[in-house]
Amino acid sequence: MPQSLRPQGAAPDLRAAILLTAALTLARLAALFATPLELYPDEAQYWLWSRSLDFGYYSKPPMIAWAIWASTQIGGDAEAWIRAPAALFQAGATLLTFLIGRRLFDAPTGLAAAALYGLMPGVQLSALVAATDAPLLFFLGLSLLAYTVFLTPAEPRRRRLLAAGLGASLGLAFLSKYAAVYFVVGLALHLALSREARRAWTPASAAAATLALAAVLAPNLAWNATHGFATFQHTAANAAWSGVHLFNIGEMGAFLGSQFGVFGPIPLGALILGVGLAIRGRAVEGRAIRREDLLLLCFTLPPILIVTGQAFISRANANWSGAGYLAGAILVAAWLMRWRARLWLRTAVAIQAGVAAFFLAAVISPALADKAGLANGLKRARGWSDTADLILDRAWREPGLTAIAVNNRFLFYATAYYGRDRLAERGVPLTSWLLMEGPRNQAETAAPLTDDLGGKVLMVSYEGWRRAEMQADFARASGLEIGSVRLDAKRKRRIEMFVGEDFAPRPRDPVSGLPIRP
């Protein structure tokens, strides 16, 4: 691999990359501390995990909970501190993008890559929410940087240390999100296609990388082994080909269309064009793909192609291809620079900067999103504090409650977060009512409504879902109350509540797990 530019030549671009990253990070942190948007329930779930540190959780590896624990130890439990690690992880990922681009190509390419990545629409969202994508992308970037350095000729001991560092950083990526497996796919593909890569690896360096990876992953594997491999099963269930309509061209088209919004229209167009030119050059002209391009293609294309196939067979979310974003930004920057398409590069950066500015403004003042017709995208980050108050106000009017039980995991996590002080003061446990015989999520696993807590329970149904079946699980049900919380000018959240006494859940069907109707 080519060496990076001399320090004096790279210094202005490095300073520019640092200033760009600092400006973006400060703007994002300012938006986080200014926004009135509340925690999305998944964010509240991660916060709840962080109150009890562990090496694994029901649906995700532990990195997100560890990061939130660290930030809230510094600043407390306010929403901004829960989300702050995302902005910092993405700041690190942006700088790593510069360093990888500079090492593989040159400093101007690294700066262009950092701009494309840092301003990427998908990264804007990832940097402002407490989720697993930001730490994943940071540690994948660290792994890719370690790999590019590892491929540089070096004496054996240094290579073993670099291999161990690669294994450790990849392990941390897996502790962030199991989508880190795409890096393994990319590495295997690169080894299959690159003789230079195969020569770089020796049994000793492969052993160092494997042992470091295993050492980092061991606690999470042990946790899963003692918890029925819950995280693995949840991840597999998300990826399961269980859609109502298999082989769905519409789903695939929707996913591919979403990538233009996530990756950016010009960068994704350049990526598609570049891949086409590379294939044509190889197939028609017999021209070898440049080794730097080949490396980045191996880490960019697998997530996109695999998730596109997943969307066609079943379904896929727009961010599931995120493992390829960082390498893809570097590759697109390199191609646009090579093609002397600087106008396209500047236009892409300008468009994405405009989108980023609007997004930050909408986060600070959600009324802008409402006026732009985007209120629906923010509804899940609104009204949860009022919803928790609605539930707890009713609960405190009922003497002698033994529990509060909700039938929706969003309600559980939002009430746990926004009602945390009131719940702690009264000591009434917050629980989950189970529709099925066994738990289906972390809330139902950690806090199920049981016979011991079922003496007198405030039952809470989200939008009236399964309320009749909830009532049938008690000897007596009374005091039905229907309340609502305004989300925006058009939308409300409806909550139905009643008091259930003497919890006696009906028998469940042994096949479906659903309650048997009388």
Side-chain angles (χ1 to χ4, degrees):
M1 291 291 162
Q3 300 294 320
S4 58
L5 294 184
R6 295 189 303 273
Q8 61 267 31
D13 292 299
L14 174 60
R15 285 196 296 270
I18 292 173
L19 288 173
L20 169 68
T21 303
L24 282 171
T25 304
L26 289 174
R28 289 164 178 165
L29 290 174
L32 289 179
F33 280 92
T35 182
L37 293 175
E38 298 175 342
L39 291 187
Y40 180 70
D42 279 341
E43 296 178 289
Q45 173 184 214
Y46 302 144
W47 168 82
L48 191 59
W49 290 355
S50 75
R51 302 306 88 188
S52 179
L53 292 180
D54 211 334
F55 287 109
Y57 299 92
Y58 180 88
S59 60
K60 296 290 189 296
M63 184 63 69
I64 183 66
W66 295 352
I68 292 172
W69 177 86
S71 64
T72 53
Q73 290 299 302
I74 297 171
D77 292 326
E79 293 93 336
W81 288 100
I82 292 170
R83 291 165 169 158
L88 300 180
F89 275 124
Q90 287 294 7
T94 302
L95 289 176
L96 287 168
T97 303
F98 169 80
L99 294 175
I100 298 166
R102 183 181 68 171
R103 184 167 194 87
L104 291 178
F105 302 100
D106 53 38
T109 300
L111 178 59
L116 288 176
Y117 177 83
L119 293 168
M120 188 180 295
V123 170
Q124 304 316 308
L125 177 61
S126 174
L128 293 172
V129 297
T132 54
D133 287 336
L136 170 72
L137 287 164
F138 171 76
F139 288 115
L140 286 181
L142 192 61
S143 301
L144 186 57
L145 178 61
Y147 186 49
T148 61
V149 178
F150 170 82
L151 292 175
T152 303
E155 55 93 12
R157 183 174 181 276
R158 174 176 166 79
R159 267 220 165 124
R160 289 194 296 272
L161 290 174
L162 287 169
L166 169 59
S169 60
L170 182 56
L172 293 171
F174 271 104
L175 291 184
S176 302
K177 191 174 183 178
Y178 292 150
V181 71
Y182 288 123
F183 190 95
V184 178
V185 174
L187 181 60
L189 186 60
H190 191 235
L191 287 171
L193 297 176
S194 171
R195 181 180 300 139
E196 180 187 32
R198 293 193 295 273
R199 287 174 178 170
W201 288 95
T202 64
S205 59
T210 303
L211 288 173
L213 173 63
V216 174
L217 280 180
N220 180 249
L221 294 174
W223 182 92
N224 269 283
T226 58
H227 291 79
F229 292 95
T231 317
F232 293 164
Q233 290 187 35
H234 175 84
T235 303
N238 271 348
W241 296 347
S242 56
V244 176
H245 302 290
L246 296 179
F247 307 112
N248 193 327
I249 294 177
E251 284 286 341
M252 183 178 70
F255 170 75
L256 290 174
S258 73
Q259 297 309 289
F260 283 93
V262 169
F263 199 76
I266 292 177
L268 185 58
L271 180 63
I272 295 170
L273 175 62
V275 170
L277 292 174
I279 293 173
R280 182 182 182 280
R282 179 69 175 171
V284 177
E285 303 172 15
R287 186 173 65 248
I289 299 174
R290 296 191 186 193
R291 55 187 179 179
E292 299 86 3
D293 295 3
L294 177 63
L295 185 151
L296 292 171
L297 281 168
C298 288
F299 291 97
T300 300
L301 291 184
I304 296 173
L305 295 178
I306 292 171
V307 179
T308 298
Q310 168 75 14
F312 175 62
I313 293 173
S314 179
R315 64 180 182 87
N317 292 336
N319 68 320
W320 286 6
S321 60
Y325 293 171
L326 191 146
I330 301 168
L331 186 58
V332 166
W335 282 344
L336 290 174
M337 296 286 279
R338 190 181 304 160
W339 298 339
R340 302 181 186 278
R342 292 180 181 269
L343 177 60
W344 285 102
L345 177 60
R346 294 190 189 100
T347 303
V349 170
I351 290 172
Q352 296 186 182
V355 172
F358 173 80
F359 188 77
L360 288 173
V363 168
I364 294 171
S365 179
L368 289 176
D370 295 346
K371 292 177 181 177
L374 301 175
N376 190 51
L378 300 178
K379 68 180 181 181
R380 291 184 177 179
R382 287 172 159 168
W384 292 111
S385 178
D386 289 342
T387 301
D389 286 342
L390 184 69
I391 294 169
L392 297 182
D393 287 347
R394 171 65 192 274
W396 300 162
R397 296 198 304 268
E398 296 290 343
L401 283 182
T402 55
I404 301 167
V406 300
N407 69 350
N408 176 277
R409 70 182 186 91
F410 281 8
L411 274 184
F412 181 89
Y413 293 120
T415 305
Y417 177 74
Y418 286 105
R420 60 192 182 277
D421 293 334
R422 299 177 71 182
L423 287 168
E425 179 184 346
R426 293 294 184 99
V428 177
L430 178 66
T431 66
S432 289
W433 174 78
L434 275 63
L435 170 66
M436 306 294 285
E437 188 169 345
R440 299 170 298 166
N441 53 57
Q442 178 80 31
E444 294 181 357
T445 301
L449 176 61
T450 61
D451 293 347
D452 292 341
L453 298 172
K456 185 179 181 182
V457 185
L458 177 66
M459 300 296 294
V460 184
S461 171
Y462 185 77
E463 301 287 349
W465 183 79
R466 300 287 188 180
R467 176 170 59 80
E469 292 175 273
M470 295 171 71
Q471 290 173 322
D473 272 351
F474 290 87
R476 293 175 300 281
S478 61
L480 176 64
E481 178 181 333
I482 299 176
S484 63
V485 172
R486 173 69 63 181
L487 304 180
D488 55 48
K490 297 180 179 179
R491 299 170 182 84
K492 293 182 179 180
R493 179 179 298 127
R494 192 175 83 256
I495 302 296
E496 299 187 7
M497 299 173 283
F498 67 90
V499 174
E501 297 180 76
D502 296 333
F503 182 55
R506 290 176 295 161
R508 261 55 175 176
D509 182 273
V511 177
S512 68
L514 294 173
I516 298 174
R517 293 183 178 276

